[in-house]
């Protein structure tokens, strides 16, 4: 079983990234093979400041390791350290039908807003397909917003196989119901582009302030409340044990509890859950070479597999299986 996923370094990771994806990466690591990468090539479609991008990549790697991604169990690397992936993107692009990309939401949303989309945004799903197919991946842990892209990946692989014979392995999305769509401060999907995120590694003071700002309805303190329609409770469910959830749900239904108390319970649960990662993050910050070494080792492992698959694809298309060796 090969597990693979990628995450864009476009800012500090937030709870949507964690509960939607990172937590699954950690639970699945140690599978026969697991590959996780920082999608810096994808981030180029939105981050145009080089120093900012480099900082986000560095933060992303430290965050992932601090949260529990273990290089002894999983391969962690930078997408751009495996240049074969851009070669595979072109090979796939030649057989990708336009209508597949036209229906993808990232492109459609921008177009609907009248934003001029560039070719990178339009062909973004083909790079993502190459990311997945280049490691013969079986299982791709993601949040619900990425399911469409995995379907496009399967469509592209199927078309390639029907044109050139069985070459590419079909992957499947792995989405946990409970964390498919993590709500943000305003109750909409938590996303950097909506400005409604809770960053994982904010200081306790900032975290508390953000949690206290989660939008709730205006039911008076003394009235009973429905936990199932409240974002505070939805987030609490991601962090608390079933027993703890039942206790808080009963308090909602009984009345006499204000939303401030529920928010305090959420803050306490978050501090408990992320406390150890926070400390590990500080240690890694003091020794940046630890994480850089992990990324470089990871790139070696990932690239070995990528070269093998690209050689297969090149040969299937009628190209020489590898380019002539290059001596500088
Ligand atoms: P990205 O960087 O936007 O998000 C990383 C992961 O976090 C999940 N996620 C969420 N899940 C639930 N609720 C939320 N509010 C929420 N916000 C983010 C996303 O579903 C994702 O799993 N295109 C991808 C990166 C990528 C990739 C890949 C993923 C590039 N190549 C290959 C898998 C396989 C993206 O933009 O994710």
């Amino acid at each position: 079983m090969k597990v693979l996923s990628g995450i864009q370094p476009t800012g500090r990771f937030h709870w949507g990234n964690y509960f939607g994806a990172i937590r699954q990466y950690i639970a699945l690591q140690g599978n026969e093979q697991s590959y996780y990468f920082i999608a810096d090539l994808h981030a180029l479609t939105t981050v145009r400041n080089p120093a900012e991008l480099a900082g986000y990549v560095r933060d992303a790697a430290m965050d992932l390791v601090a949260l529990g991604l273990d290089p002894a169990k999983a391969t962690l690397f930078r997408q751009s350290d495996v240049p074969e992936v851009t070669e595979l993107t072109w090979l796939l692009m030649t057989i990708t039908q336009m209508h597949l990309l036209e229906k993808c939401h990232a492109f459609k949303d921008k177009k609907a807003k009248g934003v001029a989309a560039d070719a990178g945004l339009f062909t973004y799903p083909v790079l993502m397909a190459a990311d997945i197919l280049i490691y013969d991946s079986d299982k791709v842990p993601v949040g619900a917003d990425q399911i469409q892209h995995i379907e496009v990946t399967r469509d592209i692989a199927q078309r390639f196989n029907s044109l050139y014979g069985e070459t590419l392995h079909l992957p499947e999305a792995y989405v946990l119901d409970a964390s498919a769509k993590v709500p943000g401060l305003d109750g909409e999907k938590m996303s950097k582009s909506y400005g409604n995120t809770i960053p994982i590694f904010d200081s306790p003071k900032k975290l508390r302030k953000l949690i206290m700002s989660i939008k709730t309805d205006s039911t008076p303190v003394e009235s009973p409340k429905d936990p199932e329609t409240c974002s505070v409770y939805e987030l609490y469910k991601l962090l608390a044990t079933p027993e703890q959830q039942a206790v808080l749900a009963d308090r909602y239904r009984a009345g006499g509890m204000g939303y401030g108390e529920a928010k305090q319970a959420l803050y306490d649960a978050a501090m408990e859950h992320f406390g150890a990662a926070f400390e590990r993050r500080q240690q890694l910050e003091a020794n940046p070479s630890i994480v850089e070494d992990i990324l470089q080792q990871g790139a070696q492992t990932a690239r070995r597999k990528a070269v093998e698959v690209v050689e297969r694809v090149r040969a299937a298309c009628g190209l020489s299986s590898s380019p002539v060796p290059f001596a500088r």
Side-chain angles (χ1 to χ4, degrees):
M1 165 75 67
K2 282 200 205 71
V3 177
L4 166 126
S5 199
I7 188 161
Q8 286 198 74
T10 48
R12 297 309 302 273
F13 291 154
H14 52 74
W15 286 16
N17 297 134
Y18 180 74
F19 293 110
I22 299 170
R23 189 157 70 161
Q24 278 72 262
Y25 302 172
I26 292 159
L28 293 170
Q29 70 183 351
N31 264 278
E32 193 189 313
Q33 268 164 348
S34 357
Y35 290 98
Y36 300 118
F37 65 91
I38 297 164
D40 51 357
L41 295 174
H42 276 111
L44 281 175
T45 62
T46 49
V47 184
R48 264 50 192 262
N49 177 322
E52 207 168 77
L53 181 65
Y56 289 156
V57 170
R58 187 186 137 275
D59 280 337
M62 284 195 192
D63 287 359
L64 290 169
V65 175
L67 287 166
L69 216 135
D70 178 354
K73 295 185 181 155
T75 299
L76 175 65
F77 60 102
R78 276 179 291 248
Q79 184 184 30
S80 63
D81 281 336
V82 182
E84 287 73 19
V85 80
T86 54
E87 180 178 357
L88 182 60
T89 302
W90 174 256
L91 298 175
L92 298 178
M93 205 113 78
T94 59
I95 56 100
T96 301
Q97 291 164 308
M98 291 288 281
H99 71 85
L100 264 187
L101 303 181
E102 275 159 358
K103 70 173 192 199
C104 284
H105 52 68
F107 172 71
K108 252 174 50 182
D109 292 353
K110 280 223 171 162
K111 210 171 146 201
K113 283 189 198 127
V115 179
D118 48 36
L121 183 73
F122 185 62
T123 55
Y124 179 114
V126 191
L127 175 57
M128 186 159 159
D131 285 329
I132 298 170
L133 298 172
I134 206 165
Y135 304 107
D136 284 335
S137 315
D138 295 303
K139 204 176 201 179
V140 187
V142 284
D145 60 323
Q146 297 298 320
I147 294 176
Q148 186 187 37
H149 292 145
I150 317 281
E151 280 163 6
V152 168
T153 301
R154 289 173 61 89
D155 287 345
I156 293 175
Q158 267 163 337
R159 187 165 152 80
F160 188 95
N161 289 348
S162 70
L163 286 168
Y164 291 116
E166 234 20 67
T167 312
L168 296 168
H169 180 74
L170 261 59
E172 268 172 29
Y174 173 78
V175 186
L176 290 189
D177 268 0
S179 48
K181 189 175 155 196
V182 178
L185 298 174
D186 55 0
E188 297 301 314
K189 178 195 136 185
M190 187 179 289
S191 167
K192 205 187 134 222
S193 50
Y194 299 155
N196 64 358
T197 63
I198 305 179
I200 302 169
F201 289 110
D202 253 355
S203 68
K205 201 170 155 203
K206 276 203 195 146
L207 176 68
R208 190 163 189 285
K209 205 168 158 208
L210 276 180
I211 288 178
M212 290 300 160
S213 76
I214 296 174
K215 200 169 136 196
T216 47
D217 63 25
S218 48
T219 315
V221 173
E222 41 319 332
S223 309
K225 299 174 182 64
D226 181 2
E228 298 304 337
T229 57
C230 176
S231 307
V232 179
Y233 185 71
E234 211 176 323
L235 292 168
Y236 185 75
K237 278 204 291 195
L238 294 167
L239 286 161
T241 62
E243 295 73 35
Q244 289 170 322
Q245 293 173 35
V247 170
L248 190 64
D250 285 348
R251 295 208 53 210
Y252 267 78
R253 294 194 187 99
M257 179 190 75
Y259 286 116
E261 271 189 67
K263 289 175 177 176
Q264 183 63 43
L266 175 61
Y267 170 79
D268 292 340
M271 289 303 288
E272 188 169 333
H273 188 83
F274 292 115
F278 205 87
E279 277 173 31
R280 274 198 300 275
R281 180 76 175 71
Q282 281 175 329
Q283 289 158 7
L284 292 169
E285 186 100 44
N287 297 289
S289 66
I290 297 179
V291 167
E292 183 54 33
D293 288 350
I294 293 174
L295 292 176
Q296 294 200 10
Q297 288 285 329
Q300 297 293 334
T301 309
R303 207 166 171 195
R304 263 195 295 279
K305 178 68 192 167
V307 167
E308 175 200 313
V309 174
V310 168
E311 284 182 355
R312 201 162 79 210
V313 175
R314 285 176 62 116
C317 300
L319 303 171
S320 65
S321 65
S322 53
V324 289
F326 170 69
R328 200 188 291 271

